[in-house]
Amino acid sequence: MALYEPISTEEDENLFPAEKGVAFCNRLFFKERLYKELSPEDRKAKRFEEETTIWDEFWSWIDTLDPSGGSKLEKAVKYALNHKESLMNYLLDGRCEISNNSAERKAKVYATGRKNFLFHDSVDGAKATAIVISLVETAKANNLNAYKYLYTLLLYMPDYKNEPAGIKQLLPWSTFVQDKCSGIIDDSLALPENRGNLPI
């Protein structure tokens, strides 16, 4: 499917201010889609080359606005101005995303189940659930079988929790974990007595 670059619309007098703000966002997100397959270093370079000018235009345009008090536009303008630096932080690192949509989707898993968590009668119980869900989502983000990953952590963590080299081998991107925890089927799970040692 072909991608067509959004037309610059900040000067279009037929658009409402909110529509112009969306137009700036569309231009930035269009650029991000073009850079999706680039390495982090190349993505960072492209962002500085092409997106900083869009941001400069955006902030110049924001300075021309005088929204009425209490309006949604006023709230949006104040939010943008108050978070100017953090909104542009993604430009500093090619590994960062322009929005937190991905993180929001991950958090939604917990939010969707919160009615089922009413049985938590302690802060420690809620923390334990949050930790397990974080581990599961991290496993999924690294293309691991979540059950295998949790099993592997429980299998090795008690003996290696105080060894930094051991913890490093249990991170989801380590070669050891990638070998042990990939695949759909929950096969070849080592029994505690046959587990062996971590390669440290």
Side-chain angles (χ1 to χ4, degrees):
M1 182 173 136
L3 293 176
Y4 298 98
E5 184 164 6
I7 300 170
S8 179
T9 55
E10 68 274 11
E11 300 298 329
D12 191 335
E13 296 300 326
N14 295 319
L15 294 179
F16 292 109
E19 292 174 313
K20 292 183 182 182
V22 170
F24 279 109
C25 293
N26 287 342
R27 290 169 63 195
L28 289 168
F29 276 84
F30 171 80
K31 297 289 187 188
E32 287 297 306
R33 287 177 70 184
L34 296 179
Y35 312 151
K36 189 175 181 181
E37 302 301 324
L38 298 179
S39 69
E41 296 79 15
D42 292 340
R43 189 178 302 116
K44 179 181 177 181
K46 275 292 192 183
R47 284 172 172 171
F48 272 101
E49 181 183 330
E50 299 188 18
E51 291 185 29
T52 50
T53 54
I54 298 173
W55 279 109
D56 290 341
E57 291 173 31
F58 174 77
W59 296 120
S60 296
W61 170 74
I62 282 280
D63 288 338
T64 67
L65 298 178
D66 185 23
S68 56
S71 68
K72 289 185 177 180
L73 181 61
E74 183 197 39
K75 290 179 182 177
V77 169
K78 279 186 176 178
Y79 180 88
L81 291 172
N82 289 338
H83 296 86
K84 182 174 181 178
E85 186 176 341
S86 56
L87 284 170
M88 299 174 64
N89 263 347
Y90 77 100
L91 295 169
L92 304 176
D93 191 330
R95 296 170 298 177
C96 295
E97 296 184 27
I98 190 172
S99 79
N100 66 344
N101 288 343
S102 178
E104 292 281 351
R105 284 193 296 274
K106 300 291 187 283
K108 188 177 180 182
V109 174
Y110 189 85
T112 302
R114 64 179 167 241
K115 286 187 179 178
N116 297 324
F117 304 148
L118 295 177
F119 65 85
H120 287 319
D121 57 2
S122 69
V123 173
D124 286 342
K127 283 182 179 177
T129 300
I131 289 169
V132 170
I133 289 176
S134 295
L135 289 170
V136 168
E137 291 301 318
T138 301
K140 286 160 57 176
N142 286 275
N143 300 313
L144 300 176
N145 178 312
Y147 178 79
K148 283 185 177 181
Y149 185 52
L150 289 175
Y151 184 91
T152 301
L153 288 179
L154 292 172
L155 190 64
Y156 289 95
M157 187 63 78
D159 292 332
Y160 290 91
K161 62 185 177 184
N162 296 320
E163 293 189 36
I167 297 297
K168 189 175 180 181
Q169 287 297 329
L170 293 173
L171 293 175
W173 44 84
S174 77
T175 304
F176 175 78
V177 166
Q178 288 287 327
D179 289 343
K180 287 271 187 189
C181 305
S182 296
I184 298 171
I185 302 171
D186 300 325
D187 58 354
S188 68
L189 294 174
L191 296 173
E193 59 270 20
N194 299 326
R195 66 160 202 194
N197 296 317
L198 286 175
I200 58 173

